Amino acid sequence: MSETLIKIENVSKKFCRDLKRGLWYGVKDVGSELLGKTRNHTILRPKEFWAISDISFELKRGECLGLIGHNGAGKSTLLKMLNGLIKPDTGRIEMHGRVGALIELGAGFNPILTGRENIYVNGAVLGFSKQEVDEKLDEILGFADIGEFIDTPVQYYSSGMKVRLGFAVAAQMEPDVLILDEVLSVGDAGFKVKSFNKIAEIIQKAAVIFVSHSMPQVSRVSNRVLYMKAGKAEYSGSNVNEGIERYFENFQGESSKVEYDRGAELVAVDVYGAGRQTAGKNIALINHGQDLFVDLDIRLKAAIDRFDVMLQITDKDLKIVGQFFSAKANEGFHGDVRRRKISFHFQRLLFIDGEYAITFFLTEKNVNDPAKYSYLGVYRNAVKFRMQGLGDVLYAPIHLEGVVTEVRTFQE
């Protein structure tokens, strides 16, 4: 049986909304502890609130927990308790082995010390001797790849350089527990790929807690998920897709799907297959190998020479599995008519069983650079459909071959 490295039992933490009152509460609590008095920490005092409420989970060696939730859900507070920066008001936390953490950008670095000096300081904090850090130094420098800037004070580093150095130290020091909070939200694509490969390697011999607002990243590295909402655990378990689906349920309203609409409005959208079958939640049901039809009703905010439509299909893990761009297929549309209906017909859709979402990008060519496109409107996960009939097999993203019909039914 795998070794349990993290055990959290009914952990709660409260804060005070008023700074002065909170400081006074802190002084009273310290005084009570010094006098050996106990207080019922489960009762909130005026202006206090629960930032974390009754969180419990275990994490074994070889597991990666994806910690997800919207801003203010309590993720950072939980991580600070796990890392020993603050203590819980109620509950119990067990951490076993060496803990490496990168919970804030540049956290743990002394800004006036050089990158090289900070490596030795961080190594000492983790319990490594100077000789042990010397042995790992080349690996850390190679992974961070910041060149001669390693001997520059960290206060002059860019955010990407801080992440490179911080992740390199945390990952190369062979921790038993590794805590990563949004560390891959910055940095170039090459470093992200290298970091994900390193995380996969670390998971084999450690317990990893990975925090991110990028659900594709979470689904890529995690085999467990904890979805937090308002300080509570809304879902905790090994079904990563279920946790991600719960996360996105907060965006079910129509307005939340509109990411950008200053140049064009998607008035209506309909997706269907042969016979217009529907599945659960009244979404279209498409059989494997069946044709897919998508009808759009678009209103332009102003007349333009030409606009284009991109359809991007993603699975439940938010991986892009299909894409069609009218500009690449030479199927652009004139913008002299401000409102119109456009129909897309995609033949023999070959996805595996599951639920899919379609995002629509309404674009026009950039005035300053005709090789680029500007957004008129972006409608994220605007409509869903379910595919059935194949089963769970491996697949690769495909380019959608489509037939487009423009139907001018409006004149505005």
Side-chain angles (χ1 to χ4, degrees):
M1 179 178 288
S2 299
E3 177 187 2
T4 299
L5 298 178
I6 303 175
K7 188 173 183 179
I8 311 299
E9 294 180 338
N10 308 114
V11 167
S12 297
K13 180 65 181 178
K14 60 179 175 292
F15 292 121
C16 184
R17 293 185 175 88
D18 184 273
L19 177 59
K20 290 183 179 180
R21 188 183 292 264
L23 292 173
W24 173 238
Y25 288 157
V27 171
K28 291 177 66 177
D29 290 344
V30 170
S32 296
E33 290 181 5
L34 291 175
L35 295 174
K37 297 180 180 180
T38 59
R39 188 181 66 80
N40 188 349
H41 289 281
T42 63
I43 299 176
L44 292 177
R45 293 171 290 194
K47 295 194 176 181
E48 285 187 329
F49 67 97
W50 291 113
I52 297 291
S53 179
D54 198 27
I55 299 293
S56 299
F57 67 88
E58 291 186 8
L59 201 61
K60 296 179 171 60
R61 194 181 301 274
E63 292 183 330
C64 178
L65 176 73
L67 182 56
I68 61 177
H70 305 293
N71 292 329
K75 304 186 300 297
S76 295
T77 299
L78 178 59
L79 294 188
K80 288 175 181 177
M81 287 191 291
L82 292 176
N83 203 35
L85 298 178
I86 57 177
K87 67 177 184 177
D89 288 308
T90 65
R92 186 164 170 264
I93 297 176
E94 285 186 25
M95 303 282 284
H96 300 279
R98 184 180 291 120
V99 180
L102 196 55
I103 62 175
E104 289 182 10
L105 187 59
F109 288 149
N110 186 322
I112 65 174
L113 297 181
T114 68
R116 189 186 303 273
E117 291 167 337
N118 271 290
I119 291 174
Y120 282 93
V121 171
N122 276 261
V125 170
L126 291 173
F128 286 92
S129 66
K130 182 179 183 301
Q131 181 179 350
E132 289 175 314
V133 177
D134 286 337
E135 294 172 356
K136 297 178 178 294
L137 186 60
D138 288 341
E139 294 181 22
I140 294 173
L141 297 180
F143 194 94
D145 192 24
I146 56 177
E148 68 273 12
F149 294 105
I150 193 62
D151 292 310
T152 299
V154 168
Q155 62 183 336
Y156 301 122
Y157 283 15
S158 67
S159 59
M161 292 169 67
K162 289 179 182 177
V163 165
R164 282 176 173 271
L165 185 60
F167 186 85
V169 173
Q172 299 294 336
M173 289 299 186
E174 299 179 357
D176 295 295
V177 175
L178 180 61
I179 302 174
L180 302 172
D181 183 11
E182 287 291 352
V183 297
L184 299 182
S185 59
V186 297
D188 55 68
F191 179 73
K192 289 181 180 180
V193 171
K194 185 166 62 171
S195 298
F196 278 119
N197 292 337
K198 187 62 180 179
I199 291 173
E201 179 184 325
I202 293 172
I203 292 173
Q204 303 302 315
K205 49 189 177 182
V208 178
I209 296 179
F210 181 76
V211 184
S212 178
H213 287 288
S214 171
M215 294 305 106
Q217 291 184 1
V218 171
S219 64
R220 178 176 179 177
V221 301
S222 305
N223 47 34
R224 298 184 60 81
V225 67
L226 172 60
Y227 166 46
M228 295 181 62
K229 182 179 179 181
K232 298 180 179 179
E234 289 289 307
Y235 177 82
S236 180
S238 58
N239 189 335
V240 177
N241 286 344
E242 175 70 15
I244 291 176
E245 186 69 18
R246 297 274 189 96
Y247 174 87
F248 278 113
E249 281 178 358
N250 286 299
F251 298 109
Q252 290 298 321
E254 288 299 321
S255 61
S256 63
K257 296 175 181 176
V258 182
E259 190 168 299
Y260 184 85
D261 66 347
R262 294 181 183 176
E265 177 187 2
L266 186 57
V267 180
V269 56
D270 189 19
V271 56
Y272 54 94
R276 287 183 175 268
Q277 291 178 275
T278 59
K281 299 181 181 178
N282 297 320
I283 65 175
L285 182 63
I286 313 294
N287 291 317
H288 180 75
Q290 192 179 66
D291 292 1
L292 173 70
F293 300 87
V294 180
D295 293 343
L296 302 181
D297 182 352
I298 299 172
R299 178 189 287 116
L300 301 178
K301 300 293 179 73
I304 59 176
D305 291 336
R306 164 185 165 140
F307 72 95
D308 286 280
V309 179
M310 176 187 288
L311 290 79
Q312 192 176 85
I313 301 179
T314 54
D315 64 11
K316 290 190 70 173
D317 292 332
L318 302 186
K319 299 185 181 73
I320 299 174
V321 297
Q323 187 166 281
F324 176 86
F325 191 20
S326 62
K328 303 298 182 182
N330 294 318
E331 294 279 3
F333 311 103
H334 294 293
D336 54 337
V337 176
R338 297 275 291 277
R339 185 172 176 184
R340 66 188 65 230
K341 284 188 175 180
I342 302 173
S343 297
F344 296 84
H345 177 192
F346 303 107
Q347 299 177 341
R348 298 191 71 246
L349 212 59
L350 301 175
F351 298 152
I352 65 172
D353 288 7
E355 191 172 286
Y356 297 86
I358 306 180
T359 294
F360 298 94
F361 301 88
L362 312 177
T363 71
E364 68 170 331
K365 284 192 175 182
N366 190 301
V367 176
N368 299 321
D369 188 352
K372 297 182 179 179
Y373 292 84
S374 301
Y375 289 137
L376 297 170
V378 178
Y379 285 73
R380 187 77 57 181
N381 301 326
V383 66
K384 294 182 178 181
F385 66 91
R386 178 173 292 279
M387 175 149 281
Q388 68 174 16
L390 177 63
D392 191 9
V393 297
L394 295 176
Y395 66 96
I398 63 172
H399 171 72
L400 299 175
E401 295 293 341
V403 177
V404 185
T405 304
E406 180 181 4
V407 183
R408 298 190 182 186
T409 57
F410 299 96
Q411 185 74 38
E412 292 188 353

